[in-house]
Amino acid sequence: MSTKVPFFEYPRLWSDDREEFLSIIDNVSSSGGFILQKAVSDFELELANYAGSNYAVGVGNATDGMEIFLDAIGVKPGDEIIISSHTMLATASAIKVAGGTPVPVDIGIDNLISPQGIEEAITSNTVGIMPTQLNGRVCNMDAISTIAKKHDLFVVEDAAQALGARYKGQHAGTFGLASCISFYPAKVLGCLGDAGGVLVNDKDLYHKIYQIHDHGRDIDGEVKRWGRNSRLDNLQAAILSHKLKTYNKVIERRREVAQMYQDRLGDLSELQLPPSPSNTSNHFDVYQNYEITADKRDDLKVYLSEKNIGTLIQWGGKGVHQFHQLGFNQKLPKTDKFFERCIMLPMNIFISNEDVDYICEVVKSFYMK
Ligand SMILES: Cc1ncc(COP(=O)(O)O)c(C=O)c1O
């Protein structure tokens, strides 16, 4: 049985696929097509097709993607956009950089943005809602869309963690005007550096996003507006195309691991686990993370570490509203409580069934001490 399970083995991203990557790097590099060439347009098409979106634009990273689509939508100073407090600070910072005001709200029982929290936070300055499809699970988009329609708000998605996740059969990233996907190395579809994608259905908005990501130039190269540079580069695009081919298998493996955790830890009353994949519901989850809440969380983390099991507390253990130094002062008790108890167990394709067995045995032994 395994006695060492790192939280995520970054070197294996390279070593497990080294020969293939070397050949991809050689092909792209010897063609001389480094920027905005075929590998990028091919991947954009594949990504859009995979997610069921009309268009995709490759960008430097998901945070840039959010800034760019908010800029394209026309967010202006004073505009408030409601987000979950349980998200990466990037969701908030993208709104800030685009000129708007991020308004974090509490989480619901599913640990995703609370529809009730959204309703309560709406003011005359609210222009949109940006739910985060967290941990590879899509929020209750029926409830969010109903609120958005009722108050005439746009919806955009932080789908950085959720490529392939579905709600009532519809893919994460296709529910609102636009969304971002992150290809950060540890993401379910991760590349060998920073990269991101924007998904968008509307043709005009697509062109605006395209222009902003490439110095204001449209696909024909003509400058149409002010822009910036946040392009996905061809080497990363070619690597992502290669990985997208087996992406569904990766998702299946993650779902298998989630089911194993459920089967082995589901009876422990000290833990709350994410919904299991076998739980037939409106959701198809891709388990970007396996985030649980646990009694005696801090002691559990130390105990697991002593047994050579890596864990992580998401966002360094803070919700967005807890960054008081950035001016947030909301009172969000459910999120506060969550961050006292949350911890992520290893969840990736590098861990074996034996690793999961070992992790679960150690967790159980902690509570039987
Ligand atoms: C929910 C969420 N939003 C945004 C981001 C930012 O993505 P990127 O690092 O590609 O900018 C991440 C990445 O960790 C994320 O998990």
Side-chain angles (χ1 to χ4, degrees):
M1 185 178 270
S2 170
T3 54
K4 189 171 172 31
V5 192
F7 185 72
F8 190 87
E9 279 183 275
Y10 283 94
R12 283 190 62 184
L13 276 177
W14 174 255
S15 58
D16 282 14
D17 229 352
R18 183 172 178 274
E19 291 312 311
E20 198 62 43
F21 289 154
L22 285 172
S23 140
I24 290 168
I25 291 167
D26 191 32
N27 281 343
V28 172
S29 303
S30 42
S31 78
F34 292 107
I35 301 289
L36 286 186
Q37 300 299 313
K38 191 170 178 316
V40 170
S41 50
D42 284 354
F43 176 66
E44 287 173 338
L45 262 182
E46 291 156 11
L47 177 64
N49 285 338
Y50 180 83
S53 167
N54 288 345
Y55 305 97
V57 180
V59 290
N61 54 71
T63 312
D64 279 2
M66 290 188 278
E67 286 169 27
I68 290 170
F69 68 60
L70 292 169
D71 184 8
I73 287 166
V75 168
K76 39 180 208 326
D79 286 352
E80 292 176 5
I81 299 175
I82 295 173
I83 59 171
S84 171
S85 188
H86 184 6
T87 187
M88 191 178 183
L89 193 55
T91 323
S93 69
I95 296 169
K96 191 78 189 167
V97 172
T101 304
V103 179
V105 302
D106 235 342
I107 51 176
I109 45 165
D110 57 2
N111 299 333
L112 304 171
I113 193 167
S114 147
Q116 192 194 334
I118 296 174
E119 289 253 44
E120 287 167 6
I122 293 172
T123 71
S124 55
N125 293 323
T126 308
V127 296
I129 309 168
M130 180 146 67
T132 294
Q133 317 295 19
L134 195 75
N135 294 335
R137 182 175 176 88
V138 181
C139 303
N140 179 345
M141 293 310 294
D142 281 353
I144 292 171
S145 304
T146 304
I147 297 169
K149 277 205 190 90
K150 184 170 144 199
H151 296 275
D152 194 22
L153 308 175
F154 66 72
V155 174
V156 286
E157 291 165 75
D158 179 342
Q161 297 195 351
L163 182 65
R166 301 193 281 276
Y167 174 75
K168 295 191 170 175
Q170 187 175 342
H171 273 263
T174 64
F175 289 89
L177 293 180
S179 70
C180 72
I181 308 286
S182 174
F183 305 119
Y184 180 85
K187 292 290 185 263
V188 187
L189 184 67
C191 65
L192 302 176
D194 269 322
V198 173
L199 301 177
V200 50
N201 278 327
D202 179 78
K203 192 172 180 186
D204 287 344
L205 190 56
Y206 160 69
H207 280 283
K208 283 184 189 161
I209 289 166
Y210 189 94
Q211 290 156 17
I212 296 171
H213 101 300
D214 182 33
H215 302 295
R217 296 182 290 217
D218 211 339
I219 298 163
D220 56 9
E222 209 180 304
V223 172
K224 297 279 170 52
R225 57 180 293 148
W226 286 109
R228 57 192 273 182
N229 175 6
S230 181
R231 300 176 300 224
L232 172 64
D233 78 65
N234 280 52
L235 284 171
Q236 300 295 357
I239 282 162
L240 287 164
S241 282
H242 164 68
K243 293 188 81 170
L244 191 57
K245 289 192 195 115
T246 50
Y247 188 60
N248 284 338
K249 282 202 189 122
V250 170
I251 292 173
E252 269 324 301
R253 174 61 188 160
R254 296 178 90 106
R255 288 169 60 82
E256 222 169 80
V257 171
Q259 188 62 51
M260 290 180 69
Y261 276 131
Q262 176 67 42
D263 294 343
R264 286 153 183 72
L265 300 177
D267 287 342
L268 283 187
S269 60
E270 293 89 346
L271 305 180
Q272 290 75 47
L273 306 180
S276 89
S278 61
N279 185 357
T280 47
S281 71
N282 294 329
H283 296 264
F284 178 88
D285 300 343
V286 300
Y287 296 93
Q288 164 63 58
N289 302 306
Y290 197 80
E291 186 171 53
I292 65 173
T293 53
D295 290 358
K296 298 191 272 174
R297 186 269 315 265
D298 292 340
D299 293 344
L300 173 66
K301 186 169 175 43
V302 171
Y303 187 75
L304 289 171
S305 163
E306 283 165 4
K307 307 280 180 199
N308 294 314
I309 295 169
T311 57
L312 197 71
I313 296 177
Q314 203 156 202
W315 326 130
K318 271 189 179 184
V320 169
H321 75 288
Q322 293 171 321
F323 287 92
H324 303 299
Q325 68 272 40
L326 300 180
F328 294 108
N329 59 9
Q330 288 82 1
K331 301 259 174 297
L332 305 178
K334 294 198 186 91
T335 313
D336 288 341
K337 179 130 201 285
F338 176 86
F339 278 103
E340 287 165 13
R341 294 175 52 83
C342 63
I343 183 166
M344 301 194 292
L345 300 179
M347 165 55 82
N348 53 68
I349 50 158
F350 306 134
I351 57 174
S352 65
N353 291 357
E354 291 70 35
D355 291 335
V356 182
D357 283 337
Y358 175 63
I359 295 165
C360 295
E361 283 312 312
V362 173
V363 170
K364 280 196 262 186
S365 69
F366 172 74
Y367 288 109
M368 281 185 301
K369 272 194 300 167

